[in-house]
Amino acid sequence: MFESITSKLSTVLKKIAGIGIITEKNIEDAIKEIRLSLLEADVNYKVVKHFTEKVKEKAIGTEVIKSINANQQFIKIMHDELVNFLGGDYSYINITKKPVIIMLVGLQGCGKTTTAAKLANYLKSEYKFNKILLVGADVYRPAAREQLKKLATHINADFYTEQHNDVIKIVKNSLLKTENEFYEAVIFDTAGRLHIDNEMLEELKKIKSLTSFSEILLVADSMIGQISVDVAKSFNEALGITGIILTKTDGDARGGAALSMKFITSVPIKFIGTGEKIEKFEKFYPDRMASRILGMGDIVSLVEKASKTISLEQAKKTEEKLKKASFNLEDFLEQLNSIKNMGPIGELIKMMPGASNLHNLNFDEKELKHIEAIILSMTPKERHHPEIIDTSRRQRIAKGSGTSPEKVNKLLKQFNQMKKMMKQIGKKKFGAFPGFPIPGF
Ligand SMILES: Nc1nc2c(ncn2[C@@H]2O[C@H](COP(=O)(O)OP(=O)(O)OP(=O)(O)O)[C@@H](O)[C@H]2O)c(=O)[nH]1
Ligand SMILES: [Mg+2]
């Protein structure tokens, strides 16, 4: 369901990634586009305002613009802020106190009954709970209790209800049953209403007062759009909800509104429902969601790795050398080592956005070792002035590096081409990866 927000934001990011030199104006333009994309994706306007202000403040107020890999840093700021607004780290279900007592609340049709079963199933697999009680506390919809009973049987959990309309009595009795029969967890499925109304909230408050709940979770249909924020606010003010479960994220709604709930209420989104089946239930990971929304593959860890391995100073030095065309084979070797320190090249390439399209990508690590051996077999003078390398020197270098004169030739040729290319680029502007003066990077 997050396709539209993803495609919009990733377009903006791609633009940024393609810009050589980032200026304040570039950033302002990008932020304007981001603002529009978020609004179009149904993200709550307050969230949009806060988010874009934060990104701007960080991007313009800091050293980002001056730094050499400004575009990547900007993308990282976007990602980090998005993680912030989706929620940082938190626990999922509070299981410190046994029995674990959970109540599910939410509007009609949002997926409470289905989610009760999904959650029970999750507790079984995640925490190895064996004894779970599902309680039918929706006395209003005719077949509600029957629906939950069926689901309970399906997942091998116990079910309890009573055939009358006194919800409070049902809850009290099921709490007694939970204690007496040593259940590890009890989950209450409550009734939904079409709109939030006071009567409904009063009833839920009464239920809340009967015991100390481990979790009161708001089940929210991610398709309902902007009102989801009001729904979350009302439920939270009345009950103090401990988490949100977003259902129907497999649908085609724009999703931005649902994602705004955390920011507005400060209540974390803990799980998402991704389909009708019991297994279609996942923990919500803010960082993964942020990466997904930005369509970034794993660009953030790539950027982090790059900035750790290649210092800005080093990159600047390289830039200067390239501009002056004084870049020599020794610098080239230094660059190679920086790349090698980042890990296996194949792994790095896999992390780059869009790498999934590169099916036939075969990066030969051996080739890098050869290049390294060849350069190391040269004298410092040769490394600085490769033009002095004649046939006999070539043969000596080949011998010393365990390669062949052809290989030495090839490297020298490639290096010359690269230098030429870099000289041209250096005159105009820098590409997205100024730290990588190797063709193809
Ligand atoms: N596609 C999809 N459908 C879901 C998901 N969660 C629930 N549903 C469907 O949504 C419909 C309503 O689900 P219920 O669990 O009955 O919702 P409820 O909140 O208990 O509804 P009421 O008891 O009437 O208030 C059912 O058809 C579910 O199969 C989900 O994550 N994805
Ligand atoms: Mg129900």
Side-chain angles (χ1 to χ4, degrees):
M1 75 177 302
F2 303 106
E3 291 83 7
S4 76
I5 185 167
T6 293
S7 78
K8 290 200 176 87
L9 285 185
S10 61
T11 310
V12 182
L13 289 197
K14 269 191 207 127
K15 248 193 230 168
I16 281 277
I19 296 174
I21 294 165
I22 303 256
T23 61
E24 203 158 306
K25 173 89 175 41
N26 289 149
I27 291 188
E28 300 235 359
D29 288 348
I31 287 172
K32 240 183 240 160
E33 285 188 53
I34 290 163
R35 182 179 298 131
L36 267 179
S37 312
L38 292 173
L39 286 171
E40 275 172 28
D42 237 5
V43 176
N44 180 276
Y45 70 96
K46 279 190 203 152
V47 178
V48 175
K49 189 162 177 279
H50 181 91
F51 179 72
T52 47
E53 273 170 9
K54 265 272 149 72
V55 171
K56 191 170 163 179
E57 183 188 304
K58 282 201 178 165
I60 294 183
T62 59
E63 293 288 291
V64 168
I65 297 175
K66 284 179 216 138
S67 70
I68 209 159
N69 51 358
N71 36 19
Q72 276 103 13
Q73 291 203 28
F74 181 73
I75 292 169
K76 189 170 181 307
I77 289 175
M78 279 281 295
H79 179 269
D80 291 351
E81 274 313 305
L82 202 53
V83 173
N84 258 349
F85 123 81
L86 292 172
D89 285 338
Y90 43 80
S91 64
Y92 289 93
I93 295 289
N94 175 11
I95 58 158
T96 45
K97 182 179 68 74
K98 292 275 177 61
V100 176
I101 306 175
I102 301 170
M103 168 156 67
L104 299 183
V105 299
L107 296 185
Q108 201 171 67
C110 62
K112 293 176 297 299
T113 308
T114 315
T115 303
K118 285 179 172 180
L119 193 57
N121 202 44
Y122 167 82
L123 292 176
K124 274 172 168 243
S125 61
E126 181 84 8
Y127 302 114
K128 306 282 171 266
F129 281 12
N130 287 317
K131 245 175 113 58
I132 302 176
L133 188 63
L134 286 168
V135 178
D138 175 358
V139 298
Y140 302 101
R141 200 162 58 77
R145 286 173 272 195
E146 200 49 41
Q147 183 194 356
L148 185 62
K149 187 178 175 185
K150 264 198 195 137
L151 289 168
T153 313
H154 177 65
I155 59 160
N156 248 329
D158 291 347
F159 172 75
Y160 182 80
T161 195
E162 291 167 11
Q163 296 305 325
H164 55 74
N165 286 349
D166 186 346
V167 184
I168 300 302
K169 197 167 159 198
I170 296 179
V171 174
K172 276 185 179 162
N173 285 338
S174 44
L175 285 170
L176 279 177
K177 183 178 165 75
T178 302
E179 289 286 341
N180 293 339
E181 299 179 23
F182 304 105
Y183 277 95
E184 289 164 288
V186 55
I187 301 173
F188 292 93
D189 175 31
T190 63
R193 303 280 205 285
L194 267 180
H195 302 287
I196 318 153
D197 59 56
N198 280 336
E199 208 182 317
M200 170 202 200
L201 291 176
E202 282 312 311
E203 184 177 287
L204 293 172
K205 274 191 203 166
K206 260 192 219 153
I207 298 179
K208 182 185 173 179
S209 70
L210 295 177
T211 186
S212 153
F213 279 88
S214 315
E215 300 278 350
I216 298 178
L217 301 170
L218 173 68
V219 180
D221 181 337
S222 52
M223 318 268 280
I224 61 173
Q226 292 289 350
I227 59 162
S228 56
V229 170
D230 297 325
V231 170
K233 252 168 101 176
S234 312
F235 274 97
N236 191 37
E237 275 159 23
L239 298 165
I241 52 178
T242 58
I244 296 168
I245 301 181
L246 270 189
T247 60
K248 309 187 195 178
T249 61
D250 49 316
D252 57 7
R254 286 174 288 185
L259 294 176
S260 309
M261 288 195 286
K262 150 74 183 50
F263 183 84
I264 300 287
T265 59
S266 296
V267 176
I269 299 168
K270 292 191 168 177
F271 298 93
I272 54 173
T274 55
E276 295 196 48
K277 292 211 178 92
I278 297 293
E279 311 76 50
K280 297 284 181 189
F281 186 71
E282 295 170 14
K283 280 183 186 173
F284 179 78
Y285 296 100
D287 51 344
R288 289 187 203 172
M289 182 56 86
S291 300
R292 190 171 144 197
I293 287 176
L294 296 176
M296 310 202 303
D298 205 358
I299 196 169
V300 173
S301 26
L302 180 67
V303 170
E304 274 173 355
K305 268 193 170 187
S307 53
K308 251 188 234 154
T309 329
I310 301 165
S311 70
L312 274 182
E313 256 165 72
Q314 195 187 337
K316 266 189 186 145
K317 212 172 75 192
T318 308
E319 183 184 350
E320 281 310 307
K321 287 197 160 193
L322 284 170
K323 273 186 187 155
K324 284 193 239 141
S326 63
F327 187 76
N328 60 43
L329 279 162
E330 221 153 57
D331 303 317
F332 185 48
L333 193 62
E334 204 176 293
Q335 291 286 317
L336 274 187
N337 283 328
S338 299
I339 293 171
K340 269 206 330 221
N341 289 340
M342 286 167 69
I345 300 288
E347 290 300 304
L348 287 175
I349 289 173
K350 262 190 249 147
M351 286 199 287
M352 314 222 341
S356 50
N357 306 329
L358 305 171
H359 299 297
N360 299 322
L361 194 84
N362 257 327
F363 195 92
D364 195 353
E365 302 254 349
K366 255 202 270 166
E367 199 70 20
L368 270 188
K369 287 214 178 79
H370 284 161
I371 294 176
E372 191 180 1
I374 292 171
I375 300 175
L376 286 173
S377 300
M378 295 175 185
T379 62
K381 197 170 171 200
E382 286 165 345
R383 287 180 213 154
H384 286 267
H385 303 282
E387 63 280 0
I388 63 168
I389 301 175
D390 56 13
T391 316
S392 76
R393 281 176 191 241
R394 228 162 264 188
Q395 265 163 356
R396 198 208 68 233
I397 293 167
K399 230 185 194 168
S401 59
T403 59
S404 61
E406 288 75 34
K407 279 231 159 87
V408 179
N409 251 345
K410 197 173 149 202
L411 169 67
L412 290 173
K413 221 167 143 187
Q414 277 181 342
F415 177 73
N416 276 334
Q417 274 173 357
M418 191 190 76
K419 224 171 125 175
K420 246 190 236 156
M421 195 179 81
M422 284 298 160
K423 208 168 146 191
Q424 278 164 3
I425 296 175
K427 273 186 195 150
K428 291 180 204 146
K429 59 173 191 181
F430 262 87
F433 257 114
F436 296 139
I438 294 180
F441 271 86

